[in-house]
Amino acid sequence: MTTHATRVASVRSWPVDIALREPFGISGGALSVARNLLVEVVLASGTSGYGEAAPFPAFNGETREQTEAALAAVAGTLVGRSASDWRELAVELDASVHAAASARAALEMALVDALARERGVSLAALFGGAGTELVTDITITTGTAAAAREAAGRIAREGYATIKLKVGGAPLGDDVGRVRAVVEAAPGCGLLLDANGGMGTADAALTLLAEIERVGGRVVLFEQPLGGDDLAGMAVVASRARCPVAADESVASADDVARVAAARAASVVNVKLMKSGVAGALDIVAATRAHGLGLMIGGMVESSLAMSVSACLAAGVGGFSFVDLDTPLWMVDEPIVSTMARVGPRLSVASVTAGHGARPRSAVTDRSA
Ligand SMILES: [Mg+2]
């Protein structure tokens, strides 16, 4: 493989609207259509790599419009550069469009995918080849107790061991009622709570945990009870809760991991490509391990394309204790063909032989036309 073969010949991106079966609600708001963007990087050899941006306004304020603007601003700067230098290119993208994290993530995904396909290796192998199998949780978003009960029963029948339940942003009694419904419908499942920073106070978070214990719920992790900047409040929850606390909104860089560790604000870090890009995610993994914290892999409302990259990263790097890669299940007709296998909670990238193994359907159609 010559350097010429991995030189970027072109970069294009296009929006995709993916309808969701039901709104994906978190404490900050709900999403009923995933307004994502797909990216294709074509190398001089003719090999393509694909990426996805999934801006989630209710999570961190990123919008499709900002993401499109960022892609338009920097896509051209990659032309003529080598995909082999993707980590160096990631640093440059971070410097030029830092705030547009999902745009950076999409471009980095497409670069590493193209590189891995050119080399004929899977991304899981490129990231270290530690393993190929993962077991994911599944989410019950904000909503009514009746909806939570119905979803929990279905989830238990499908063999999931862990239910991720969105909490916060509602009266405490509502959350307790939803948890009670989930516990009754799926008594064997562990609960992973995610407040997306919406509990308000440490006392409220601890009260919710006590009430859940009272109704027989087994909480395995409490993600981001308080706001991303409220490390002191998070530390109060972490020191008093019986379950581990995870930092999600609090961590978008390796420096953030150091701050969380110093404040004892969490003992687990949720790694998401949409917060940090691919290179940033690997830096976060390294920092998380260096500080003796646990690893979780998650995502925004992403199709099987971005989720395949995350699965390759988590499986290839290894050591992830919590896996939350379920959002393709929300999508009515995702415009993606993916080699990643999904059987109930079990994900496998063993059949992915090159790159992340996913492609946009439209690009497949374009090529065969
Ligand atoms: Mg979260």
Side-chain angles (χ1 to χ4, degrees):
M1 183 180 66
T2 63
T3 305
H4 175 73
T6 59
R7 193 169 298 147
V8 175
S10 66
V11 181
R12 69 180 181 122
S13 64
W14 64 101
V16 287
D17 287 347
I18 312 174
L20 305 181
R21 294 180 196 283
E22 53 189 288
F24 194 92
I26 68 173
S27 62
L31 198 68
S32 52
V33 174
R35 301 182 74 230
N36 295 355
L37 292 126
L38 299 178
V39 168
E40 179 180 24
V41 164
V42 183
L43 304 183
S45 63
T47 299
S48 285
Y50 299 99
E52 179 181 10
F56 191 175
F59 181 87
N60 60 5
E62 280 188 49
T63 65
R64 171 187 281 175
E65 290 67 29
Q66 292 164 346
T67 309
E68 273 178 331
L71 287 170
V74 298
T77 66
L78 299 177
V79 174
R81 309 293 297 276
S82 174
S84 302
D85 300 332
W86 66 274
R87 255 187 123 135
E88 182 187 333
L89 295 173
V91 172
E92 294 178 17
L93 290 172
D94 188 39
S96 53
V97 286
H98 175 77
S102 64
R104 291 190 279 117
L107 291 167
E108 288 182 53
M109 283 179 200
L111 285 168
V112 290
D113 183 40
L115 179 65
R117 288 182 202 251
E118 181 64 27
R119 289 183 178 169
V121 297
S122 74
L123 266 193
L126 195 76
F127 288 140
T132 56
E133 313 301 309
L134 299 167
V135 178
T136 183
D137 63 27
I138 187 165
T139 304
I140 295 177
T141 71
T142 53
T144 65
R149 183 187 305 274
E150 198 274 326
R154 189 179 67 240
I155 287 166
R157 288 192 294 278
E158 289 171 358
Y160 289 85
T162 307
I163 291 175
K164 173 161 168 168
L165 192 64
K166 292 291 189 180
V167 297
L172 185 69
D174 290 5
D175 277 339
V176 175
R178 291 169 65 240
V179 171
R180 186 185 291 116
V182 168
V183 170
E184 286 170 3
C189 290
L191 302 175
L192 195 166
L193 307 181
D194 187 3
N196 290 101
M199 289 309 300
T201 65
D203 276 350
L206 292 163
T207 302
L208 177 64
L209 286 174
E211 289 293 312
I212 290 174
E213 208 165 287
R214 206 171 54 78
V215 299
R218 177 171 56 88
V219 179
V220 297
L221 187 71
F222 196 171
E223 231 187 300
Q224 203 70 43
L226 301 173
D229 295 330
D230 188 5
L231 298 187
M234 292 272 289
V236 172
V237 181
S239 68
R240 297 194 193 155
R242 287 187 219 261
C243 64
V245 167
D248 181 0
E249 282 85 343
S250 292
V251 173
S253 69
D255 287 347
D256 291 338
V257 175
R259 279 188 280 274
V260 163
R264 298 180 184 278
S267 56
V268 173
V269 170
N270 191 347
V271 180
K272 291 178 175 172
L273 299 173
M274 292 302 156
K275 297 190 294 187
S276 60
V278 179
L282 294 174
D283 290 346
I284 287 171
V285 169
T288 300
R289 286 181 168 162
H291 287 282
L293 307 180
L295 287 167
M296 173 174 184
I297 188 82
M300 304 302 175
V301 184
E302 301 166 16
S303 78
S304 293
L305 198 159
M307 291 259 141
S308 293
V309 185
S310 294
C312 284
L313 188 143
V317 165
F320 280 73
S321 305
F322 299 93
V323 176
D324 176 32
L325 299 177
D326 63 335
T327 54
L329 300 175
W330 261 255
M331 296 176 169
V332 175
D333 188 18
E334 58 169 355
I336 301 297
V337 183
S338 172
T339 315
M340 177 174 72
R342 182 187 289 276
V343 180
R346 278 169 288 284
L347 302 179
S348 175
V349 293
S351 302
V352 178
T353 54
H356 52 61
R359 283 174 186 277
R361 282 188 202 279
S362 59
V364 174
T365 308
D366 290 348
R367 264 145 213 284
S368 63

